[in-house]
Amino acid sequence: MEAIPPVPPRILIVDDDDSVRDVISVLLREEGYNCAVASGAEMALDIAGQEETPLVISDMKMPGKDGLWLLEQLRERYPDTSVIMLTGYGDTESAVDCLRRGAVDYLLKPPKLTDLIRAIERALAKRRIELARKRYQKKLERKVRDRTTELRNALRDIAHTYQSTLLALVAALDAREHETSDHSQRVVRYTSAVAERMGIKGQELEEIGRGALLHDIGKIGVPDAVLLKPGKLTPEEWQEMRKHPDIGFQMIQNIPFLATPAQIVLSHQERWDGQGYPRNLRGQEIHIGARIFAVADTLDAMTSDRPYRKGTTFANAIAEITRCAGTQFDREVVRAFLDIGEQALIKIKEDMQNRKLTLVQAEAQAQEAEATLARLSDDLDDIDQTIPGPGSPGPSPGPRGASPAPAATPTPAVGASTASGRPEQSVVLSVLAGGRQGNSRD
């Protein structure tokens, strides 16, 4: 198969002098170029818009709109079109002005054919390079966008994995302390609500939430005999218990994305009046996240049941927190806490309980549905064994004139149960056809 020759580039020649325009177009056609002509700048702009025009050769001085006007319009509307300017005046200033405005070359009239051909070849070669550069730039930009999207998704997945890991670790810790099940997650919700009320948002809010989530991570290093002791702790046991902020801080301080939460873990037992531990910090020396957490932790501790006592009401807990503003707690934090309101705080706890119940119920329903499907599948297999398949021999005929022998296993009638108490065949078929009801996973 012969190769298809390339289409010659289209060149638009613009000149108000018919003879100049015709001579140049004839010469260029003989050189193999595809030429179009225009007698004025406005006409040339219309022709350039009808079909792709890689190159325009235009006279500078023309009646009405001149060549410089055409040059500016082409650069604005069709930036990929190259322009060579022609003039009958050998003015250096005019040549510089043309090049400054975007022309690729400047020739004196009448141009020599060799000079014109060289100028055309340079202009087209420069245009090809510029188009290739633009294509490469667009391709590079597209790759950067794609890689940026992939990186953003990867970072989001990593952050999700980090958060899931932290939640699993804290859930294990909460499960270790049976009386504080879900305590950490409730405290995160209370802490975040107060922080948002104080105008904290974005990354700072996320870091405070992580600090609240991990506040008791250091209890992993507290002996079970102390941590799980049902009675009152001795002074020596209290000394062991008070080590948990330092233990938690040492565990996570070298993890870059937990640097701020580590400060909250270390300071979460400090008090506004300086009577806390482990460093006896006071006032603004305590991280704002730890000051917010102190209020949230007290609320949850007072309103949650323990083996040795029942939780008090939210109203009582709010009154006690209010009483301790300025001593145990930061007054500004307590003010934001009170702005949330008792009912909103109660709703936070109820929403968490309802979500937990919903998850438990969904899991129970899923297990029940799987067990039911397995049982009904076994029933269907038993029924299939009692029904002869196509081509199966019927019961053997008895002696001439005798009644056929009864089947060894009678087929259950519709609406009846089998001897073993299994569902009837119609129920089995209904369930397998999608008749299970009340299962949220169906």
Side-chain angles (χ1 to χ4, degrees):
M1 179 183 293
E2 295 183 0
I4 300 175
V7 178
R10 185 172 187 253
I11 299 177
L12 175 60
I13 302 163
V14 187
D15 200 306
D16 62 306
D17 189 330
D18 294 342
S19 59
V20 173
R21 188 174 62 241
D22 293 342
V23 167
I24 293 177
S25 63
V26 169
L27 291 174
L28 292 183
R29 286 192 180 98
E30 290 178 354
E31 294 295 327
Y33 292 105
N34 176 22
C35 295
V37 295
S39 59
E42 293 176 312
M43 178 181 178
L45 197 60
D46 292 337
I47 293 175
Q50 296 171 5
E51 185 179 343
E52 183 181 7
T53 305
L55 178 62
V56 172
I57 301 174
S58 175
D59 189 15
M60 181 178 291
K61 302 294 185 180
M62 292 182 292
K65 305 294 185 182
D66 61 8
L68 292 178
W69 178 86
L70 176 61
L71 173 61
E72 291 178 351
Q73 293 298 313
L74 289 171
R75 298 305 297 165
E76 179 180 346
R77 301 188 190 185
Y78 314 110
D80 294 335
T81 297
S82 299
V83 180
I84 296 175
M85 300 300 297
L86 299 178
T87 183
Y89 306 94
D91 185 357
T92 303
E93 184 177 348
S94 298
V96 171
D97 190 32
C98 290
L99 297 175
R100 182 177 57 82
R101 297 192 187 199
V104 297
D105 215 333
Y106 177 92
L107 298 175
L108 292 176
K109 294 171 60 176
K112 295 180 180 179
L113 180 60
T114 54
D115 292 342
L116 182 60
I117 296 299
R118 289 195 193 98
I120 291 173
E121 291 175 350
R122 285 196 301 268
L124 294 176
K126 183 177 179 181
R127 179 178 181 271
R128 286 194 296 271
I129 293 172
E130 184 65 19
L131 291 177
R133 186 190 65 80
K134 289 182 178 181
R135 287 194 299 270
Y136 175 77
Q137 184 176 357
K138 288 182 179 179
K139 183 178 180 180
L140 186 61
E141 289 173 353
R142 185 168 58 252
K143 284 187 176 181
V144 170
R145 285 197 301 270
D146 293 343
R147 294 295 182 270
T148 301
T149 300
E150 293 174 3
L151 179 60
R152 188 179 295 114
N153 292 337
L155 291 175
R156 185 168 55 248
D157 291 344
I158 291 172
H160 178 72
T161 302
Y162 283 161
Q163 189 68 12
S164 299
T165 302
L166 296 180
L167 288 173
L169 183 61
V170 171
L173 181 63
D174 280 352
R176 185 185 179 207
E177 296 184 82
H178 305 295
E179 75 276 17
T180 59
S181 178
D182 295 328
H183 160 71
S184 297
Q185 301 228 31
R186 286 196 303 272
V187 171
V188 171
R189 293 290 301 276
Y190 294 140
T191 300
S192 298
V194 177
E196 288 176 344
R197 183 68 61 166
M198 297 181 70
I200 298 173
K201 54 187 176 181
Q203 183 176 353
E204 185 180 7
L205 180 64
E206 293 178 2
E207 290 178 338
I208 289 176
R210 289 195 188 103
L213 180 67
L214 297 171
H215 70 278
D216 273 344
I217 194 70
K219 288 185 178 180
I220 291 176
V222 177
D224 286 351
V226 175
L227 185 67
L228 305 180
K229 184 177 180 179
K232 187 177 180 180
L233 298 181
T234 65
E236 293 76 14
E237 290 170 337
W238 265 116
Q239 285 297 110
E240 288 295 322
M241 181 64 77
R242 289 191 173 201
K243 293 178 181 178
H244 79 272
D246 269 319
I247 295 173
F249 176 73
Q250 296 298 328
M251 288 174 61
I252 66 174
Q253 65 169 330
N254 293 323
I255 302 175
F257 88 105
L258 294 180
T260 297
Q263 293 298 324
I264 298 174
V265 169
L266 181 61
S267 305
H268 77 275
Q269 290 292 348
E270 301 288 356
R271 290 170 48 115
W272 181 258
D273 58 9
Q275 300 302 309
Y277 64 90
R279 295 178 293 170
N280 300 116
L281 300 180
R282 67 171 59 242
Q284 301 290 337
E285 296 174 347
I286 306 170
H287 191 283
I288 181 61
R291 282 180 267 150
I292 296 172
F293 165 81
V295 173
D297 186 49
T298 300
L299 175 69
D300 189 67
M302 294 185 68
T303 56
S304 299
D305 293 338
R306 296 289 186 266
Y308 47 86
R309 63 157 175 82
K310 293 289 289 182
T312 188
T313 64
F314 273 76
N316 289 340
I318 291 171
E320 179 64 15
I321 290 171
T322 304
R323 184 183 70 82
C324 295
T327 55
Q328 184 174 350
F329 308 119
D330 181 351
R331 291 186 186 275
E332 293 298 322
V333 173
V334 173
R335 186 176 295 113
F337 168 75
L338 295 176
D339 286 344
I340 297 174
E342 179 182 351
Q343 293 305 314
L345 293 169
I346 293 174
K347 188 174 186 303
I348 290 175
K349 184 172 184 177
E350 290 177 346
D351 287 347
M352 292 195 66
Q353 290 174 335
N354 292 337
R355 185 179 65 175
K356 184 177 180 180
L357 289 174
T358 301
L359 292 174
V360 171
Q361 291 170 353
E363 182 64 24
Q365 289 178 355
Q367 293 177 356
E368 181 181 356
E370 291 172 358
T372 301
L373 182 60
R375 185 177 68 254
L376 295 179
S377 297
D378 292 342
D379 292 340
L380 185 60
D381 290 340
D382 293 343
I383 292 171
D384 285 344
Q385 292 175 4
T386 66
I387 301 175
S392 300
S396 301
R400 185 184 299 270
S403 299
T409 305
T411 302
V414 175
S417 298
T418 63
S420 62
R422 291 171 175 170
E424 72 257 16
Q425 180 180 357
S426 61
V427 174
V428 175
L429 297 178
S430 173
V431 171
L432 294 180
R436 285 177 290 165
Q437 297 179 1
N439 181 4
S440 62
R441 294 185 59 155
D442 285 344

